[in-house]
Amino acid sequence: MKSLMFALIILIFVSVSSGCSVVGSMVMTKEDQLNHSGQYEELLNELESSAPTQQCQNLLYKNLKLMHRRYKANVYELIKYEFYCAHYRTYALIETGRFDQAETLCEESIKNLQTIVWYANKNSDSTEKVSRKVLSWLKIYQGFIIWFKTGDKEKVLRMIENVQTDTLSKREQIYVWLYQGFFYDKIIGDYSKAMGSFRKVLDASKALGVMDADAKYAYALQAYRRMMLIDIKLGRLEDGKNIMKEYENLADDVLLKTGKSMFGTTEYFRGYLSMMDTNAGMLYSLLRDFKTAETYFKKAWKRIDSIDPQSKHMWDRNAMGSYYVMYGTYFLGLQNRYTEAAEYIDKGINYLTPYYIESIATEIDIESACMNAAEMYYLLGDKKKALDRLEAAIQYADRYHRKVVASQAFTLKGKICFDQGQYNEAASSYSKALELMKNIESTENWKLYYYSGLLAQKTGGIEKALDYYRKSIQEIEKLWSGRFKDVRRQLSFMENRLVVFEPAIDLMVQQTQFSNAVEYMEKAKSRSFYETTSFYRKDSTSELNSTPMTASEIRKFIPKNMVTIEYYVGEKVAIGCLMTRDRIYAKRLDINAKALGKLVTDMRENITNMGDYADPAIKLYQKIVSPFESRMQDFERICIIPHGVLNYLPFQALVTIPPQKGKEIVTEVSLQRDIQVVARKPHKVFFKAQTGFLIEHYGILYAPSATILKMVHKKNRSHKNRLFAVGSPPQTEQEGIGEIPKLEFAEAEVKDVGRLFSDKLVLFDTQATETVVKDNMQHYDLILFSTHAKMMRTDPFRSFILFDKDSQNDGRLTVSELKHVSLNADLVALSACESGLMAGHKGFSGQSLANLADEKFPPGDDIFGFQRALLQAGASSVISTLWSVADESTRELMVRFFNEFQEQKKIDKVMALRNAQMYLIQEKPEWAHPFFWAPFCVSGDWM
């Protein structure tokens, strides 16, 4: 009888665990039911009513004395005491906040269990295994008790790490590693150790057999969920996506499917299964892939919707609370739907119960949910509700000693005080946040330093402000690690953090720290571009690296006959920095982004409509180039490194002096190489001839950054012998566009250019297929595409150059497709409309570029189009256009350019293009208007 009772109790122990663990049988004891449903007061009452009698307890103490004397003891009564008093009771006391009682019980039980283990080991008693298991649990609970009572991280860390797992079964080891992972993650903030613990849980769960199918699934699910959340915390979104894929692949395992089925049928864990889908929805929302995010949130909702909203079960409420908070925060909040987001988060908070250990073990804790709600109300401008939620977040974070959340709450509280002019209160909040975040890693640390910098700058602490800005940027650079395979999503995640560069650069210029200013401009522009280039992929061991150049390195690299002007256009200020081999000079420009956008728009509109562009052209020259004029006079070339709206400005058409208008000229604009305007037939226009353009004085080069300029210059092999030229395809129909005519002058262009080369491949008409282009473009030194192009305003990654379609390709070579191309070309010339236009990953707000002043450009100048895509693919330089170009004049200019570049061996691309443009201005009066020649820009290497 005794052996039968012992076996039954062992079965109970194997099937029982606490917190987020799982049951090993669909049959639960009443204690199990109360524990898993989170009814801890009721659990304590149940334990009290069914606790060992005084007679049993007396027997226990008697047996303990016998053990010490090495006499035979009654093992069954000892196990019964462990079950009722050491495990459930301690956990329930912790969750109800009775830490002193829990501590006393835990210490006494650990002492007794150590005696039992010692005795059982001496007598080869199988009770040792059960005792060691419960002993390991109690030591973990003891660590949590000390944490909640004192917040002594070092002491608790020693206790948690000293829990022995060597003699435990695989399943029991999993339980210990799981809680160690929770502790490292949410309490210590040591994410590396947390990932190690969860990886051990995952590996061990995979080794469980058929008898543990439910546990196999549940523990694997826990590990994957927590690993994904850590990747999200650290900004490693692509790694998080890989974790999700690994989970979905593993979920096809037969045993896991069985375990999931068993697990999901229990009333206690039905909502538990929704949490992985909820987490995936959060992940894809952060990646700005809202379509995929919605798919996962809908999967989660199918389970959530089946739960009674009035359910009192802990995991039901956790699942519902997590869903509402994460859907509101990430899916709605990241789409700027703040009102709905706040409502969802508040609804989720109502489902979350402020437990203790369970609050650490679950994904979304109540303090973080309150923090999320506060951010939504702040964005809505409801400062009162935001402060109310922040106070709740601070109280809960203090209760659990959650320093990261408390710091974030104090940071936002400080920002609200700052916005209201309460600078002393803001300083107090930031000080508390800084103290809390000492030696703790968080993706939000940049914000604390940024806000502290704004406050210091406002109150006169310029050096202190700069120090905070530098620290903020250092935190940002920790995230800027090239982990994102999809550039669009990387920039989506990073862009809001880059606002800190504007005040940092502006202060450096004000303090005449010109070298520092240009280095921070480079930091903002260079790194994300570099890390997606084929140079990095091909040659990661070379001297090229992803670190932006220093000011000294830039000066040494700049050619003697070139001056470089690098711009930074922020929301409030615009800055220009002139660099030569001998000097660096920077200046805040006398124009803001809004006014700059208006002038650029006016100049572009007037040029493309063949109107009088002189007024905005001369104003722009005076505002952004003239301040550097006295330092430019001894140079032949200017390298322009634009930023923001300046990427749309043809600097070559800026007017340097009040123009002297000549005679009126009548000309005909031929068919244009833009799909948008193919219906516009050749037509006559009138304009006044004039001079005074910047191109008359300098050859002009463009580059994304000085770092990229050096990179592409190193790539240049100075080969210009082999030509690949592709002319317009035949008249064709394109879905969503209609009939597209053939460009007769484009065909003539590639034929004329082809005559300059002996080693060439020239294609046009039906030969000009996208498939042939993709198959051949990597083999040539010089590439010329003379065809139609379309810049997709709202999605620049879908912009395309048009070729003929065939069975393999649709005829549209898109920006996205170029990421799969590896080029060796020294030059790619895009003799097509708008091939140099770019946009941020979100595109423009509409189809028109008629109001660039209202467009929001990414702070880091992370904009995309063919020009940068080709440089990233390996081209040394690219010629592209800033608007729709006329077919006939474009042929004349491109043939002239290639003739200059190929025949005059000593001339570089910059001067060859300038000479071709000057030829149209001086020798072709009918094409002297900048509409015909000014859209052409050479970017990248100048040689």
Side-chain angles (χ1 to χ4, degrees):
M1 173 63 77
K2 184 180 293 185
S3 61
L4 177 60
M5 287 195 302
F6 180 78
L8 289 172
I9 291 173
I10 293 298
L11 178 59
I12 291 172
F13 272 121
V14 170
S15 66
V16 170
S17 60
S18 61
C20 65
S21 300
V22 296
V23 291
S25 169
M26 296 300 105
V27 179
M28 286 191 180
T29 65
K30 188 169 184 180
E31 290 84 1
D32 280 330
Q33 295 173 17
L34 293 172
N35 181 51
H36 287 298
S37 63
Q39 300 177 65
Y40 295 112
E41 288 289 353
E42 292 84 348
L43 175 59
L44 285 172
N45 292 333
E46 176 67 22
L47 291 172
E48 196 65 38
S49 65
S50 57
T53 63
Q54 187 63 46
Q55 181 181 0
C56 289
Q57 291 184 23
N58 291 337
L59 183 59
L60 167 73
Y61 294 126
K62 180 179 179 181
N63 280 317
L64 285 171
K65 289 180 181 178
L66 289 173
M67 285 184 183
H68 283 296
R69 297 171 185 171
R70 300 193 180 186
Y71 293 127
K72 187 73 175 175
N74 188 324
V75 174
Y76 166 67
E77 291 297 337
L78 299 179
I79 296 174
K80 189 174 181 181
Y81 178 80
E82 291 173 21
F83 178 74
Y84 282 109
C85 296
H87 173 47
Y88 277 140
R89 189 182 297 275
T90 301
Y91 200 89
L93 288 170
I94 294 171
E95 291 297 14
T96 54
R98 298 177 173 93
F99 299 131
D100 289 337
Q101 293 180 51
E103 186 174 34
T104 300
L105 176 60
C106 200
E107 288 176 352
E108 181 182 349
S109 299
I110 287 173
K111 180 180 177 182
N112 291 340
L113 281 166
Q114 287 172 335
T115 299
I116 295 171
V117 169
W118 170 81
Y119 170 82
N121 189 48
K122 290 288 184 182
N123 292 275
S124 301
D125 196 309
S126 60
T127 315
E128 177 194 6
K129 292 182 180 180
V130 178
S131 301
R132 285 189 184 279
K133 174 175 66 174
V134 180
L135 183 60
S136 68
W137 293 349
L138 289 175
K139 286 185 176 180
I140 289 174
Y141 300 160
Q142 189 178 40
F144 280 112
I145 292 168
I146 294 171
W147 172 254
F148 291 128
K149 287 186 69 175
T150 69
D152 188 337
K153 183 167 64 175
E154 297 303 322
K155 183 177 180 180
V156 179
L157 183 61
R158 288 194 298 272
M159 295 185 68
I160 294 290
E161 289 184 333
N162 285 334
V163 175
Q164 298 295 316
T165 60
D166 296 347
T167 58
L168 300 179
S169 71
K170 188 65 69 178
R171 185 163 172 170
E172 291 155 5
Q173 287 176 327
I174 288 174
Y175 184 80
V176 174
W177 292 331
L178 198 59
Y179 275 85
Q180 285 177 334
F182 296 155
F183 193 83
Y184 290 133
D185 177 10
K186 281 198 173 181
I187 293 177
I188 302 298
D190 189 331
Y191 300 123
S192 176
K193 284 188 175 180
M195 288 293 272
S197 293
F198 294 134
R199 180 56 71 177
K200 286 198 290 186
V201 169
L202 183 59
D203 292 342
S205 66
K206 291 178 182 178
L208 294 177
V210 65
M211 296 302 294
D212 292 307
D214 58 338
K216 184 183 184 74
Y217 173 76
Y219 286 130
L221 175 65
Q222 269 281 43
Y224 279 124
R225 280 165 41 195
R226 298 314 285 258
M227 289 164 69
M228 181 196 292
L229 286 173
I230 290 173
D231 281 331
I232 290 172
K233 286 180 188 179
L234 297 177
R236 304 187 312 217
L237 301 190
E238 194 65 33
D239 288 356
K241 196 167 75 170
N242 290 336
I243 290 289
M244 186 64 195
K245 289 179 180 177
E246 187 180 335
Y247 162 73
E248 290 174 333
N249 290 336
L250 187 68
D252 290 334
D253 181 276
V254 174
L255 273 183
L256 280 173
K257 285 183 177 179
T258 304
K260 182 176 181 179
S261 177
M262 295 168 61
F263 194 59
T265 59
T266 65
E267 137 183 53
Y268 301 93
F269 299 104
R270 58 197 169 190
Y272 193 81
L273 299 181
S274 72
M275 291 186 178
M276 191 67 178
D277 290 325
T278 297
N279 290 354
M282 173 178 65
L283 171 70
Y284 281 95
S285 294
L286 283 167
L287 288 165
R288 270 49 172 197
D289 184 352
F290 294 111
K291 184 177 180 181
T292 304
E294 186 173 27
T295 300
Y296 281 108
F297 276 123
K298 282 181 176 178
K299 286 175 65 178
W301 176 250
K302 285 185 70 174
R303 291 189 180 276
I304 297 297
D305 194 38
S306 67
I307 299 173
D308 179 1
Q310 304 304 315
S311 172
K312 299 298 181 183
H313 289 293
M314 175 175 64
W315 284 109
D316 282 350
R317 299 185 69 81
N318 280 345
M320 290 187 288
S322 294
Y323 173 82
Y324 286 118
V325 171
M326 291 186 181
Y327 183 79
T329 302
Y330 299 100
F331 186 78
L332 297 175
L334 291 175
Q335 295 184 79
N336 304 328
R337 296 160 61 180
Y338 303 133
T339 301
E340 296 170 87
E343 291 173 356
Y344 267 83
I345 297 170
D346 278 347
K347 187 172 183 178
I349 289 172
N350 291 331
Y351 283 107
L352 299 176
T353 304
Y355 295 111
Y356 284 90
I357 295 178
E358 288 296 342
S359 290
I360 292 172
T362 193
E363 273 89 334
I364 186 71
D365 44 69
I366 195 166
E367 63 271 23
S368 295
C370 290
M371 182 66 213
N372 295 343
E375 289 182 331
M376 294 304 143
Y377 284 118
Y378 173 73
L379 292 169
L380 286 168
D382 191 336
K383 303 293 177 62
K384 183 180 184 304
K385 282 189 176 179
L387 287 170
D388 287 344
R389 301 302 186 277
L390 287 173
E391 288 303 322
I394 290 168
Q395 289 177 15
Y396 284 122
D398 182 63
R399 167 178 172 158
Y400 303 125
H401 306 289
R402 292 287 313 284
K403 292 185 177 182
V404 172
V405 177
S407 173
Q408 291 171 357
F410 278 118
T411 298
L412 183 54
K413 184 178 179 181
K415 184 61 167 65
I416 292 173
C417 293
F418 175 81
D419 292 344
Q420 295 174 338
Q422 301 168 350
Y423 300 136
N424 290 335
E425 292 84 349
S428 174
S429 290
Y430 292 153
S431 177
K432 290 175 183 176
L434 287 166
E435 181 63 30
L436 286 164
M437 288 308 293
K438 280 184 178 177
N439 303 318
I440 294 179
E441 185 178 3
S442 169
T443 56
E444 296 299 294
N445 283 355
W446 73 272
K447 193 182 295 183
L448 172 57
Y449 290 123
Y450 172 49
Y451 290 162
S452 298
L454 291 176
L455 177 63
Q457 186 173 353
K458 187 73 174 180
T459 55
I462 300 302
E463 286 301 323
K464 194 173 183 180
L466 267 176
D467 183 54
Y468 280 131
Y469 291 146
R470 288 189 182 101
K471 287 179 179 177
S472 179
I473 291 169
Q474 287 172 3
E475 292 297 318
I476 292 168
E477 289 193 311
K478 291 178 183 178
L479 304 174
W480 211 338
S481 56
R483 295 178 183 273
F484 300 76
K485 292 181 181 177
D486 187 328
V487 179
R488 166 181 350 209
R489 293 168 180 167
Q490 172 182 358
L491 301 169
S492 174
F493 182 71
M494 294 300 306
E495 64 182 18
N496 67 322
R497 291 167 168 82
L498 301 185
V499 295
V500 68
F501 280 92
E502 180 181 350
I505 293 167
D506 187 37
L507 273 189
M508 290 169 185
V509 171
Q510 290 182 43
Q511 298 295 302
T512 66
Q513 299 178 22
F514 299 149
S515 293
N516 289 338
V518 74
E519 287 172 9
Y520 275 79
M521 287 184 186
E522 287 292 303
K523 283 177 185 284
K525 298 177 184 180
S526 302
R527 192 182 299 274
S528 64
F529 182 100
Y530 186 93
E531 289 174 347
T532 56
T533 61
S534 62
F535 302 100
Y536 184 76
R537 296 193 299 270
K538 288 180 183 176
D539 199 10
S540 59
T541 60
S542 76
E543 62 184 78
L544 294 177
N545 59 69
S546 60
T547 304
M549 292 169 69
T550 65
S552 176
E553 289 169 337
I554 293 171
R555 286 172 55 189
K556 289 178 182 177
F557 165 70
I558 296 172
K560 290 181 179 180
N561 60 0
M562 183 183 292
V563 60
T564 297
I565 305 178
E566 182 161 4
Y567 293 94
Y568 193 92
V569 181
E571 291 187 3
K572 297 179 180 178
V573 300
I575 294 163
C577 182
L578 177 141
M579 294 173 282
T580 69
R581 281 200 168 187
D582 301 321
R583 71 186 74 167
I584 294 181
Y585 171 72
K587 180 179 177 62
R588 184 199 279 191
L589 304 174
D590 185 24
I591 190 169
N592 60 36
K594 190 81 172 177
L596 191 59
K598 178 68 166 58
L599 283 175
V600 172
T601 300
D602 289 347
M603 181 175 168
R604 285 178 55 90
E605 286 290 299
N606 287 336
I607 290 178
T608 54
N609 290 321
M610 299 291 289
D612 188 356
Y613 55 86
D615 184 59
I618 196 166
K619 284 180 179 177
L620 280 165
Y621 177 80
Q622 291 169 345
K623 293 292 185 182
I624 66 175
V625 179
S626 182
F628 308 105
E629 188 174 27
S630 63
R631 295 172 171 84
M632 297 165 48
Q633 293 173 355
D634 297 329
F635 298 92
E636 297 176 353
R637 296 166 179 79
I638 305 174
C639 176
I640 299 293
I641 301 176
H643 186 239
V645 72
L646 294 181
N647 284 287
Y648 299 82
L649 178 65
F651 278 76
Q652 52 270 22
L654 294 181
V655 177
T656 62
I657 58 175
Q660 300 296 316
K661 294 186 179 180
K663 64 180 182 178
E664 186 172 77
I665 296 174
V666 180
T667 190
E668 183 174 274
V669 179
S670 61
L671 186 69
Q672 291 172 250
R673 301 184 182 185
D674 182 358
I675 292 167
Q676 288 290 92
V677 294
V678 292
R680 185 186 298 173
K681 302 299 183 182
H683 58 286
K684 292 184 178 180
V685 294
F686 303 85
F687 66 92
K688 295 281 189 179
Q690 58 190 40
T691 58
F693 300 113
L694 190 62
I695 193 67
E696 296 177 39
H697 306 283
Y698 305 95
I700 297 176
L701 174 72
Y702 294 84
S705 72
T707 303
I708 305 307
L709 182 63
K710 181 178 180 180
M711 184 181 73
V712 295
H713 179 65
K714 282 180 171 286
K715 176 67 176 175
N716 191 327
R717 297 170 300 148
S718 298
H719 293 172
K720 49 182 181 179
N721 301 316
R722 307 185 70 227
L723 173 73
F724 180 43
V726 184
S728 174
Q731 181 169 308
T732 183
E733 289 275 342
Q734 279 281 329
E735 184 179 350
I737 298 173
E739 186 177 286
I740 301 173
K742 180 176 180 178
L743 296 168
E744 298 300 332
F745 288 102
E747 180 177 321
E749 179 182 317
V750 296
K751 290 178 178 178
D752 290 345
V753 172
R755 293 188 184 99
L756 302 172
F757 296 83
S758 57
D759 191 348
K760 64 198 174 191
L761 176 60
V762 178
L763 305 172
F764 49 86
D765 205 67
T766 56
Q767 300 171 322
T769 66
E770 181 186 356
T771 302
V772 172
V773 168
K774 288 178 175 177
D775 289 344
N776 285 278
M777 61 190 301
Q778 70 268 31
H779 302 305
Y780 289 86
D781 306 325
L782 304 175
I783 298 172
L784 170 63
F785 294 149
S786 302
T787 183
H788 291 292
K790 181 177 177 63
M791 195 271 187
M792 305 295 282
R793 305 288 198 266
T794 57
D795 187 353
F797 294 90
R798 291 177 54 238
S799 299
F800 62 88
I801 300 172
L802 187 68
F803 301 100
D804 203 13
K805 55 188 174 182
D806 59 18
S807 60
Q808 299 180 52
N809 288 282
D810 62 4
R812 303 183 185 192
L813 178 62
T814 66
V815 168
S816 291
E817 287 178 298
L818 285 173
K819 70 183 179 183
H820 303 298
V821 173
S822 182
L823 297 177
N824 296 295
D826 285 345
L827 171 66
V828 178
L830 301 178
S831 185
C833 289
E834 297 188 343
S835 56
L837 289 185
M838 296 173 282
H841 69 95
K842 295 178 182 178
F844 287 112
S845 57
Q847 290 296 327
S848 173
L849 300 182
N851 199 355
L852 291 169
D854 292 334
E855 294 292 347
K856 186 172 177 60
F857 296 91
D861 206 36
D862 299 305
I863 55 180
F864 295 90
F866 282 106
Q867 178 221 87
R868 295 197 178 186
L870 288 164
L871 291 176
Q872 288 172 327
S876 294
S877 55
V878 176
I879 291 178
S880 55
T881 62
L882 293 175
W883 54 75
S884 300
V885 295
D887 192 26
E888 185 177 4
S889 58
T890 296
R891 171 217 180 179
E892 184 71 34
L893 185 140
M894 293 308 297
V895 172
R896 177 68 53 172
F897 164 78
F898 274 97
N899 186 67
E900 291 269 345
F901 186 52
Q902 177 66 8
E903 296 299 321
Q904 306 293 326
K905 298 295 184 181
K906 293 183 179 180
I907 198 169
D908 60 35
K909 299 162 193 167
V910 173
M911 299 311 288
L913 182 59
R914 175 182 179 270
N915 291 348
Q917 290 170 320
M918 289 302 299
Y919 174 78
L920 264 61
I921 294 171
Q922 295 174 344
E923 304 297 331
K924 292 286 186 177
E926 69 274 24
W927 293 331
H929 191 282
F931 168 79
F932 297 100
W933 54 264
F936 295 90
C937 305
V938 58
S939 306
D941 182 55
W942 64 94
M943 295 297 291

